[in-house]
Amino acid sequence: MIEKLKEEVIKKIACGEVIFRPASCVKELIENSLDANSEKIIIELKEGGKRLIKVIDDGYGMDKKDLFLAIERYSTSKLKTIEDLKKIKTYGFRGEALSAIASCSLLRIESSTKDGEGYYIEVKDNKIVDSGLIIRKRGTTVYVRDLFYNYPVRRNFLKSSYQEFRLILEVVKNYLLSNYSVSFQLKNDEKNIFNYPKANSIKERLEMVLGKETFSSLLEIYLENPHLTVYGFISDPERIFLPAEIQAIFFNKRPVKSLVTKRAIYDGYGGTLLGKNPNFIIFIETPPEYLDVNIHPTKEEVRFIDEKFLYDFICQGIREKLKIEKDLEYFELSEEIKDLEEKKEPLLIEEKKLFWQLHNKYIFTQIKSGFCIVDQHAASERILFEKLLKSESLEKISQPLLFPILIELKPEVFSVIQELKEELNYLGLEIEIFGENTIAIKAIPIDTFFSKEDLKELILEIYNNYKEIEKKPYEKRRELYVQLIACKGAIKANQRLNEREMESLINQLFSCSNPYFCPHGRPTIIKFEISEIDKKFGR
């Protein structure tokens, strides 16, 4: 029998449309604050938003009538007619956001249209249980307590407090990037995570968030067309050393996922990326009628009216910016020979050697049946991996640095490293807290080759793998740490080695229990029979 759903059931379903977890709740509340022309937004959390989400703004407040209407479903100040759907200029129009929050939490809203007298309401199960007058400044404060308290199954599916906090952090970061003229403060469990003041430009805000070093590695891009404007920053292809710290796309200031735009950015680099991931922050402005922002319940995805044009426009614009005519190709042998002749360098060097290094990357050595090629980085990685994993004494694997290396981290990365530093110390990576969001590396594992950039990259890799690391028992975590340390601390490709160093590397490799593969599973050595060479030459 088909029956019409009861109102309370409809509201619970609506909750699922926009409120999936604490981060989606924070997203809706920040958007409301921005639509109210707030100049300052403060977000306070407890237990990663599971126990409390508090959002304070100084925007246009609500009077008593609007406050009571705000929690009613399909009530909004952003739409009047169906035509307004085609030209949305605000972050949202759904009236059910606050209604959905009210159906799955203990909600309190305080608001005032000017300094002085204001109103508050307290809501439980979408019913107002208390209301009254208060004295407060202009703006609105929303308290969301015990999210999903009445949905035990959904609450059980929430991640750890830290994981939920990380998701909120990403949400807040997106909005503070696209709204540089608004100050943002974030606190979690009474700890101040960041406090970014208003900025005068997107450049100034980006430098605050990314730091001077990362920001200086970005190239500014501006593309204009009658239908859209693309503005932002992309990595200089010659300065992509670390894992991507930020990849953000905004349509009309709305943070979105756009596979078409991301693909266009990557393809715009041609063959210059060589497997690396660039940083990018791209702002796309277009008339609202060219965008469909309602293909996703929370507007995380949008669709442009002509996605092929969007792809071509961005891809070609980046290629022109980077002066890329076509994908990079290797030089032909004839060009290399010509280059050597110009430099008057001999093509063949008559010298008896046991080992040869090719392009400072591969080591050649002759054996009875032919020859071997060793990948120096993969070989060094395998050696370090087994050495660190087998060592049980901290004294044997740690080498103190004459001068500690100071590394400034983003708040979310600092928080993870602070939590893991004791475990990393036992692997020879001695870390001390130096100040707010800054660590000092005082010792590194023995026989490793770490520059400051390598160490920063290692820290970011540990942070990026934290989700996987925290689930595992200590022995498995230790193995993951060692794998990352070995990868970043090994001899690098393009690192010149003398014959003695090559010989030592190969001797150590064949002392390993598994010399044929690096910890990631790539081969360390490839063997060629002389018969294969003979066949190639028709012998």
Side-chain angles (χ1 to χ4, degrees):
M1 181 184 291
I2 299 175
E3 293 184 5
K4 188 176 179 180
L5 293 174
K6 294 179 180 179
E7 183 64 20
E8 59 266 26
V9 178
I10 293 172
K11 286 181 176 177
K12 289 188 177 182
I13 293 172
C15 163
E17 292 174 3
V18 290
I19 306 301
F20 305 102
R21 56 185 348 109
S24 52
C25 183
V26 171
K27 172 187 177 295
E28 297 292 337
L29 296 178
I30 288 178
E31 288 185 350
N32 282 347
S33 295
L34 291 170
D35 284 339
N37 284 349
S38 300
E39 295 183 359
K40 182 176 184 179
I41 299 175
I42 301 170
I43 303 104
E44 297 180 4
L45 311 169
K46 285 188 179 176
E47 296 180 19
K50 292 193 288 186
R51 184 63 57 200
L52 172 68
I53 296 168
K54 180 181 177 183
V55 177
I56 308 164
D57 70 51
D58 62 353
Y60 302 144
M62 293 178 279
D63 59 23
K64 184 178 180 180
K65 180 183 175 182
D66 284 348
L67 189 58
F68 278 75
L69 275 174
I71 61 163
E72 294 294 327
R73 199 172 176 200
Y74 304 124
S75 57
T76 177
S77 61
K78 303 166 188 176
L79 283 177
K80 299 297 181 186
T81 69
I82 193 70
E83 291 302 313
D84 292 340
L85 280 172
K86 299 176 182 177
K87 48 186 179 182
I88 296 170
K89 295 183 179 180
T90 57
Y91 279 105
F93 71 87
R94 283 184 167 81
E96 71 261 27
L98 280 175
S99 177
I101 293 170
S103 70
C104 59
S105 69
L106 304 176
L107 179 67
R108 177 184 170 97
I109 308 174
E110 301 174 358
S111 194
S112 179
T113 57
K114 59 184 180 181
D115 291 354
E117 188 178 274
Y119 297 88
Y120 77 89
I121 57 170
E122 291 185 358
V123 187
K124 182 178 181 182
D125 296 326
N126 276 108
K127 294 176 182 176
I128 296 175
V129 294
D130 194 14
S131 63
L133 289 169
I134 52 170
I135 302 299
R136 57 162 291 133
K137 290 185 177 181
R138 191 188 90 148
T140 302
T141 303
V142 180
Y143 301 79
V144 180
R145 290 187 172 88
D146 299 326
L147 190 64
F148 301 134
Y149 77 97
N150 51 348
Y151 297 88
V153 175
R154 178 166 288 184
R155 188 169 178 84
N156 289 338
F157 270 93
L158 293 179
K159 298 181 183 295
S160 68
S161 295
Y162 180 74
Q163 285 294 329
E164 294 297 341
F165 164 69
R166 279 188 66 182
L167 293 170
I168 291 173
L169 192 62
E170 289 305 310
V171 167
V172 179
K173 190 188 298 179
N174 278 333
Y175 287 101
L176 68 88
L177 286 174
S178 58
N179 295 274
Y180 62 83
S181 60
V182 180
S183 70
F184 282 84
Q185 184 177 3
L186 177 63
K187 295 181 179 180
N188 185 40
D189 292 329
E190 308 297 331
K191 181 183 177 184
N192 189 45
I193 305 302
F194 59 66
N195 188 0
Y196 292 116
K198 292 180 187 179
N200 295 314
S201 66
I202 182 61
K203 290 183 182 180
E204 188 179 335
R205 175 56 61 84
L206 277 174
E207 192 169 336
M208 288 179 191
V209 176
L210 298 177
K212 289 183 180 179
E213 190 174 354
T214 300
F215 181 72
S216 68
S217 71
L218 301 178
L219 300 174
E220 192 170 1
I221 185 168
Y222 182 83
L223 311 170
E224 195 172 21
N225 178 277
H227 301 294
L228 75 163
T229 302
V230 178
Y231 171 70
F233 300 84
I234 59 174
S235 285
D236 181 338
E238 295 182 0
R239 298 183 65 186
I240 304 175
F241 305 111
L242 302 172
E245 290 187 52
I246 186 166
Q247 292 189 336
I249 299 166
F250 302 86
F251 273 89
N252 295 349
K253 285 192 172 183
R254 183 189 302 281
V256 297
K257 296 173 184 174
S258 172
L259 294 178
V260 171
T261 305
K262 186 174 182 180
R263 183 74 268 156
I265 294 167
Y266 271 76
D267 290 351
Y269 276 89
T272 63
L273 287 177
L274 302 175
K276 297 175 183 177
N277 293 305
N279 289 314
F280 58 79
I281 307 95
I282 297 292
F283 298 92
I284 301 171
E285 295 291 330
T286 188
E289 56 267 29
Y290 289 173
L291 279 183
D292 184 354
V293 300
N294 294 306
I295 62 171
H296 190 278
T298 60
K299 302 187 181 67
E300 287 183 0
E301 298 174 18
V302 296
R303 183 182 290 124
F304 186 65
I305 194 169
D306 186 345
E307 300 230 303
K308 184 181 184 304
F309 168 77
L310 178 68
Y311 170 87
D312 292 340
F313 183 62
I314 294 175
C315 182
Q316 187 58 34
I318 290 175
R319 282 174 177 257
E320 290 174 3
K321 174 69 179 180
L322 300 178
K323 296 180 173 59
I324 295 172
E325 297 298 327
K326 59 180 181 176
D327 291 353
L328 292 183
E329 298 173 353
Y330 291 110
F331 288 117
E332 296 293 334
L333 181 60
S334 59
E335 290 176 329
E336 291 194 3
I337 292 172
K338 182 181 177 183
D339 186 50
L340 287 169
E341 286 174 347
E342 288 174 356
K343 293 179 180 177
K344 302 190 183 310
E345 293 180 9
L347 285 173
L348 298 174
I349 302 172
E350 290 293 335
E351 185 181 344
K352 289 186 178 181
K353 285 186 175 183
L354 292 173
F355 305 97
W356 300 266
Q357 194 180 24
L358 178 68
H359 293 299
N360 296 335
K361 188 183 295 185
Y362 300 107
I363 299 169
F364 281 63
T365 184
Q366 181 177 310
I367 56 175
K368 284 184 180 179
S369 60
F371 68 93
C372 289
I373 306 176
V374 176
D375 181 327
Q376 66 188 42
H377 173 72
S380 176
E381 200 176 340
R382 166 53 63 180
I383 294 163
L384 280 175
F385 178 76
E386 293 199 8
K387 187 180 289 186
L388 291 171
L389 211 55
K390 289 175 182 176
S391 180
E392 296 180 358
S393 169
L394 185 60
E395 288 74 20
K396 290 181 180 179
I397 62 169
S398 183
Q399 52 185 11
L401 297 173
L402 187 60
F403 300 104
I405 296 174
L406 300 183
I407 300 176
E408 187 175 353
L409 304 172
K410 290 188 287 186
E412 61 269 28
V413 182
F414 178 80
S415 179
V416 168
I417 299 305
Q418 191 174 24
E419 183 180 332
L420 300 180
K421 72 184 185 70
E422 293 302 322
E423 292 184 359
L424 294 172
N425 284 348
Y426 282 111
L427 293 169
L429 190 67
E430 188 179 340
I431 298 173
E432 283 192 0
I433 304 303
F434 188 77
E436 186 175 0
N437 299 327
T438 302
I439 59 172
I441 310 288
K442 300 187 71 176
I444 59 175
I446 201 164
D447 293 334
T448 53
F449 298 82
F450 278 116
S451 66
K452 181 175 180 177
E453 282 300 313
D454 294 329
L455 285 167
K456 187 174 181 181
E457 190 169 344
L458 171 63
I459 294 299
L460 288 174
E461 285 286 0
I462 291 170
Y463 169 75
N464 290 334
N465 284 274
Y466 178 73
K467 187 176 179 180
E468 183 183 354
I469 289 170
E470 70 167 349
K471 295 177 184 175
K472 299 185 180 296
Y474 174 70
E475 283 306 314
K476 287 290 183 183
R477 290 205 305 275
R478 185 169 180 266
E479 189 173 321
L480 276 170
Y481 294 140
V482 169
Q483 194 175 32
L484 293 171
I485 291 170
C487 180
K488 302 303 175 188
I491 292 170
K492 309 294 185 294
N494 302 316
Q495 186 171 334
R496 190 172 183 82
L497 303 176
N498 60 39
E499 191 169 4
R500 184 177 297 175
E501 288 169 332
M502 289 187 275
E503 183 178 7
S504 172
L505 185 72
I506 289 172
N507 286 339
Q508 288 183 74
L509 176 64
F510 284 100
S511 297
C512 291
S513 58
N514 181 8
Y516 299 105
F517 297 94
C518 81
H520 301 293
R522 291 192 303 109
T524 59
I525 186 167
I526 298 175
K527 181 182 174 185
F528 289 86
E529 298 287 342
I530 192 67
S531 57
E532 293 178 57
I533 309 299
D534 288 341
K535 192 180 292 184
K536 292 284 184 185
F537 284 99
R539 288 182 176 272

